[in-house]
Every structure is written in structure tokens, then in C-alpha cells.
Amino acid sequence: MRVVVETRAIVARFAGERPCVQMDEWDAPGYARQRAELWRDALQAPLAVRGTRLQVVIDADVDVDAEAAGACSTQRIGGDTITVQAPEPDAEALRQFVAEAARAVAADTGGWRRFLLPAWFERHRAWRHEVGSPIQH
């Protein structure tokens, strides 16, 4: 099974933040490391019991030869992509297992904000001072 931790999807949402997040105001590697650990904690031991190998990668395209891998399906949990590769009889059970095991990871939708750097907060305070409080939308 492959889990792809996607920071690109988060970066795409930066423009919608107020104020917008600049790339030098966010610790992308720190976020990706923590997210990968969340996935490992949620899935690695239970999958090992089932005899399934877990691979966690960051911002990688899934390149799978479907015939060699058996059934292959992709699902999104949180902002991440999970590709389940298994022989057809086991694929559906494995997809359901992943969905159940990953609830804690999926609940952490705003976790990337923990990795905003001090420069963003300084700019945010200046912006709030300018637009007033409460923020006018």
C-alpha cells in the first residue's frame, strides 16, 4: 500500500488564506515528516499483521503497473492520496480497513497550520491591525 503525503494540495490553498501564506512562511518538510509519521502510526503495525507492506512517500506521483500489482484503487483521506494495491479478493477489505484506521489522520485537516513560521504571524498581526477586528469579510 502506498500513502502519498501531498504538500502541493496545501500550497494550492495558500492563495485563499487571509493573508495569503508565502512559501518562505511555511515549514513544508516539517509538516510532511509529521504527516508521514501519523500514517505510519495509524497503519504500519496493523498492515504488518495482515502481511501488507506500507510505503509512505511525499509529493510523489503514483506509478503502478496495474496488471503486476493486482487491483489498484486510489482514495483521498484528508489531503493525502492512498493507493491500495491488492489481489482482487482482498482489495475491498483492505480499502475499508484503511478508511477505518485513518480516522485520526483524516481529522487533522488543518494540521499544516502548526507549521506556519514566525514571519507569517508577524504579517498576519499587521494585516489584522489594518483590516480591524473582527475581520471584515
Side-chain angles (χ1 to χ4, degrees):
M1 173 183 313
R2 176 180 283 187
V3 174
V4 180
V5 175
E6 294 189 41
T7 60
R8 292 176 296 204
I10 293 167
V11 170
R13 290 189 300 209
F14 281 174
E17 292 290 312
R18 295 288 176 254
C20 301
V21 177
Q22 307 300 317
M23 283 306 297
D24 61 346
E25 297 174 339
W26 185 57
D27 179 14
Y31 167 80
R33 277 191 308 274
Q34 184 185 61
R35 191 78 174 178
E37 284 304 311
L38 283 170
W39 280 111
R40 284 187 188 103
D41 291 347
L43 295 173
Q44 191 154 353
L47 288 176
V49 169
R50 296 175 69 104
T52 302
R53 188 170 85 70
L54 173 65
Q55 178 185 22
V56 180
V57 293
I58 296 168
D59 289 333
D61 293 326
V62 177
D63 182 23
V64 175
D65 179 356
E67 287 182 31
C72 179
S73 69
T74 300
Q75 56 185 312
R76 306 254 325 147
I77 296 179
D80 302 325
T81 303
I82 296 80
T83 301
V84 175
Q85 298 169 244
E88 194 58 47
D90 300 329
E92 184 57 34
L94 195 52
R95 280 191 292 275
Q96 290 176 354
F97 167 78
V98 169
E100 290 175 23
R103 283 189 187 134
V105 178
D108 190 30
T109 58
W112 64 271
R113 288 182 174 92
R114 291 189 299 271
F115 293 89
L116 289 170
L117 298 174
W120 183 85
F121 290 99
E122 291 169 17
R123 202 163 55 82
H124 186 268
R125 280 191 288 277
W127 177 76
R128 294 270 311 220
H129 181 71
E130 179 119 352
V131 299
S133 187
I135 296 173
Q136 301 300 311
H137 293 280

